[in-house]
Amino acid sequence: NAGVTQTPKFRVLKTGQSMTLLCAQDMNHEYMYWYRQDPGMGLRLIHYSVGEGTTAKGEVPDGYNVSRLKKQNFLLGLESAAPSQTSVYFCASSYEGVYWHSPLHFGNGTRLTVT
Amino acid sequence: QQQVKQSPQSLIVQKGGISIINCAYENTAFDYFPWYQQFPGKGPALLIAIRPDVSEKKEGRFTISFNKSAKQFSLHIMDSQPGDSATYFCAASLTNYNAGGTSYGKLTFGQGTILTVHP
């Protein structure tokens, strides 16, 4: 099993450009998440989804949009990139909400630089 | 109330030594406390977890100590090895039980600790 796969692995954008990050999971998980990781800030939740067709805001949603049209895919969009969005983005999934029987599984991240 | 504070930000330990990373939380309703380990270029992976009715959990060289009254928990790595060099995150979540059923929570992460184990 591939687990959680993120594409692309690296991307450089200019301020104002847009892009979409793709996350795919093959574990039939209901819940999917997008986190950003910044030095000294830990992992902060951007948006999440509790099932196909659903999305919800996390801790730092401003400047991002998401869609979950298919259960296995979760897309993160940046409509107008800003330097403050330079970060490493991680997608994760879980069977349901996080607990003993339902741990988070992470992808290997996308490193985004906005100049 | 949803914050989890982690310290230190970085830690250097000699091979064979004990690594200790501490976390403090505010929300007494948290009921699941996992630790994640992240190697460079990879995503975090679950290392070990504990629930608040247990004071200690050990898996191999890794031990979680939990102090409910102080709202603190810590990760101890015994006999630290260079292969343990990684970033470690503590986290917490809470479960909601209501008439509609059980709702499992989302994780709130600490700030992370970069551990370096020198040979």
Side-chain angles (χ1 to χ4, degrees):
Chain A
N1 282 345
V4 179
T5 303
Q6 292 183 234
T7 52
K9 290 183 171 55
F10 303 93
R11 186 72 186 267
V12 178
L13 285 180
K14 293 185 177 179
T15 298
Q17 288 185 319
S18 64
M19 76 162 294
T20 300
L21 281 66
L22 173 64
C23 177
Q25 54 94 4
D26 61 1
M27 296 173 283
N28 201 33
H29 284 171
E30 287 293 334
Y31 283 47
M32 296 187 74
Y33 315 78
W34 278 106
Y35 286 89
R36 60 177 289 173
Q37 181 179 5
D38 303 289
M41 304 288 286
L43 292 153
R44 293 182 291 169
L45 183 63
I46 304 171
H47 286 281
Y48 65 100
S49 167
V50 301
E52 181 178 311
T54 75
T55 63
K57 294 180 180 180
E59 183 184 353
V60 288
D62 294 341
Y64 305 96
N65 57 76
V66 289
S67 64
R68 182 108 180 260
L69 299 179
K70 293 183 178 181
K71 185 177 182 179
Q72 63 267 35
N73 295 336
F74 196 28
L75 278 63
L76 177 70
L78 285 73
E79 291 184 346
S80 179
S84 61
Q85 294 177 305
T86 293
S87 185
V88 181
Y89 292 86
F90 286 97
C91 177
S93 70
S94 61
Y95 173 68
E96 50 183 355
V98 180
Y99 203 54
W100 296 96
H101 63 287
S102 179
L104 273 185
H105 295 263
F106 283 88
N108 286 329
T110 295
R111 183 174 294 276
L112 174 66
T113 301
V114 182
T115 61
Chain B
Q1 277 239 315
Q2 291 295 104
Q3 279 192 324
V4 177
K5 295 183 179 179
Q6 183 173 346
S7 63
Q9 191 167 356
S10 63
L11 180 63
I12 298 175
V13 174
Q14 292 297 121
K15 178 182 176 181
I18 302 173
S19 305
I20 302 174
I21 304 170
N22 300 300
C23 286
Y25 62 97
E26 299 172 355
N27 190 341
T28 55
F30 283 144
D31 61 355
Y32 175 66
F33 300 88
W35 284 86
Y36 279 76
Q37 179 188 53
Q38 182 185 30
F39 292 107
K42 300 294 185 182
L46 179 65
L47 179 64
I48 187 173
I50 198 169
R51 57 180 185 236
D53 59 343
V54 176
S55 61
E56 184 177 283
K57 183 170 182 182
K58 185 176 181 179
E59 289 186 2
R61 296 183 294 108
F62 299 90
T63 300
I64 301 178
S65 296
F66 191 86
N67 186 331
K68 190 174 182 178
S69 61
K71 294 188 286 186
Q72 294 176 347
F73 59 111
S74 59
L75 176 69
H76 296 241
I77 306 174
M78 310 300 288
D79 187 26
S80 298
Q81 299 296 312
D84 297 330
S85 297
T87 300
Y88 292 82
F89 293 97
C90 62
S93 69
L94 64 88
T95 303
N96 291 312
Y97 302 93
N98 54 43
T102 301
S103 172
Y104 300 106
K106 303 178 297 298
L107 283 178
T108 298
F109 284 89
Q111 292 76 14
T113 297
I114 301 172
L115 171 65
T116 303
V117 181
H118 285 315

